[in-house]
Amino acid sequence: MVNLALGAMEYGTRIDEQTSFRLLDAYVDAGGEWIDTANCYAFWQDPTGHGGQSEELLGRWFAQRPGVRDRVKLATKVGCEPLWPGSWPEHTEGLSSKAIDAALETSLRRLGVDHIDLYWAHRDDRSTPLEETVAAFGKHAAAGTIGRLGLSNYALWRVERMRGLAAELGVMGPSALQLRYSYLQPRPLVRDHAHDHRFGWITDEVLDYAQHNPEQQLFAYSPLMSGAYENRPDRPVHEAFDHPGTTRRLQVLTDLATELGTTRSELVLAWLTGGSPAITPIVGASTPQYLTTALTGTQLDLTPEQREQLDEVW
């Protein structure tokens, strides 16, 4: 199995069904295992202003591919579906017991499955008591409809508080974290402006936490920064990354990629998956070429010297 999750965020909206099916088939045939989506994907692409299109497409794909469900691990999310069109991010479903119950039932129906391998809390809901959220997830884990619980875009102190509450209640706690991460690093204190989620970035503290809590699997979204590593004029590096460290890191990436006969994007994925702790990148491949890049990068082994060459650049 490859250490990669296929992001299906825009499958069924921007990416049409035929293309989506072809990419999903190729991913599984290549040994891909994780497929990542959310109940709110992709509300911003659909005229209704609500999500669910990605889950529905995956449900049709499963229905037309008997046996494929047993070959993959399925992850979806709850918490960010807009309450009404245009209400995101201020007004979303949240993580109350009632919201989780309803969202999980809907996701299972759309996907045509009886369980979710990894169910993500899409972002923290500070308006709901944490005990209520933990108990709700625990109830569904005990019922077998959730295999694992993950937290996305959470502050670490909230992660630990949830783990403590889960232990007190005797229910399943979180065993995965999903945040944004890549080889380039933004300037400090600009993440709120560069990203949608205040705590949505893997920091040194998160890396240290995962390294000393190996039961916590790290997933990284937007690892290739929407094509910014490939010098695409339509996909520039965000201004939050405009600092001397970015210039130096891009140069090292270019030099090493040239030496290895690979691309900068493939090199970034190799750096992510082969480090300590190892990180599972979530790549939203929209074309066969991008999927090939993702698969090739995650199977590229870097020597300790090559990794040091990348790591020593600040």
Side-chain angles (χ1 to χ4, degrees):
M1 293 294 179
V2 296
N3 185 17
L4 173 71
L6 182 63
M9 182 169 68
E10 295 185 311
Y11 289 6
T13 48
R14 187 179 70 85
I15 304 171
D16 64 67
E17 184 156 317
Q18 183 179 7
T19 302
S20 299
F21 278 25
R22 187 164 61 246
L23 292 166
L24 287 160
D25 290 341
Y27 171 70
V28 173
D29 288 344
E33 186 177 35
W34 281 106
I35 298 174
D36 184 83
T37 187
N39 69 329
C40 67
Y41 293 161
F43 67 83
W44 59 94
Q45 296 278 5
D46 194 85
T48 66
H50 287 290
Q53 299 79 22
S54 174
E55 289 185 334
E56 290 170 349
L57 180 138
L58 288 170
R60 294 190 293 272
W61 180 66
F62 285 130
Q64 295 180 34
R65 306 290 192 276
V68 76
R69 175 66 181 97
D70 298 329
R71 299 169 60 190
V72 302
K73 291 183 179 179
L74 184 60
T76 192
K77 308 179 189 73
V78 57
C80 282
E81 170 67 5
L83 290 180
W84 61 85
S87 70
W88 191 92
E90 290 83 5
H91 304 285
T92 59
E93 64 192 333
L95 296 174
S96 67
S97 179
K98 181 178 179 181
I100 292 170
D101 291 351
L104 181 57
E105 180 182 358
T106 300
S107 290
L108 292 171
R109 174 178 51 78
R110 287 172 179 162
L111 291 160
V113 299
D114 60 6
H115 73 284
I116 304 298
D117 297 291
L118 176 53
Y119 200 40
W120 295 102
H122 207 154
R123 66 173 180 176
D124 199 355
D125 173 15
R126 306 247 178 134
S127 66
T128 298
L130 211 51
E131 294 85 350
E132 179 180 344
T133 299
V134 170
F137 283 128
K139 174 183 67 175
H140 292 294
T145 48
I146 298 175
R148 292 169 59 193
L149 171 63
L151 303 178
S152 182
N153 305 304
Y154 267 70
L156 275 184
W157 71 271
R158 296 281 286 180
V159 174
E160 276 300 288
R161 187 161 292 183
M162 285 189 74
R163 290 181 67 192
L165 286 169
E168 289 177 15
L169 296 173
V171 299
M172 184 181 66
S175 62
L177 300 176
Q178 182 179 146
L179 304 122
R180 185 171 178 174
Y181 195 52
S182 190
Y183 181 61
L184 297 185
Q185 301 289 302
R187 298 191 310 275
L189 304 180
V190 299
R191 296 189 182 107
D192 291 359
H193 305 288
H195 318 302
D196 295 331
H197 303 285
R198 181 181 179 188
F199 298 107
W201 192 270
I202 292 177
T203 62
D204 284 346
E205 184 179 14
V206 173
L207 293 173
D208 181 70
Y209 177 82
Q211 198 158 21
H212 291 87
N213 293 275
E215 72 280 4
Q216 297 292 326
Q217 184 177 2
L218 278 185
F219 288 76
Y221 64 83
S222 300
L224 299 181
M225 297 175 59
S226 302
Y229 287 106
E230 298 312 314
N231 292 319
R232 289 178 53 176
D234 61 326
R235 301 291 178 90
V237 175
H238 193 280
E239 62 180 359
F241 299 83
D242 184 13
H243 57 83
T246 291
T247 304
R248 291 193 289 268
R249 285 204 152 197
L250 286 177
Q251 186 59 58
V252 169
L253 273 180
T254 301
D255 293 344
L256 188 53
T258 300
E259 176 186 328
L260 297 176
T262 188
T263 68
R264 295 198 302 195
S265 293
E266 290 166 352
L267 197 53
V268 168
L269 293 176
W271 176 79
L272 281 169
T273 56
S276 180
I279 296 173
T280 300
I282 303 171
V283 178
S286 58
T287 68
Q289 178 185 353
Y290 293 157
L291 180 58
T292 298
T293 292
L295 292 168
T296 301
T298 56
Q299 296 177 70
L300 175 64
D301 290 325
L302 299 177
T303 66
E305 294 75 21
Q306 290 165 344
R307 181 166 296 281
E308 183 179 359
Q309 184 178 347
L310 292 169
D311 287 338
E312 68 182 9
V313 184
W314 296 96

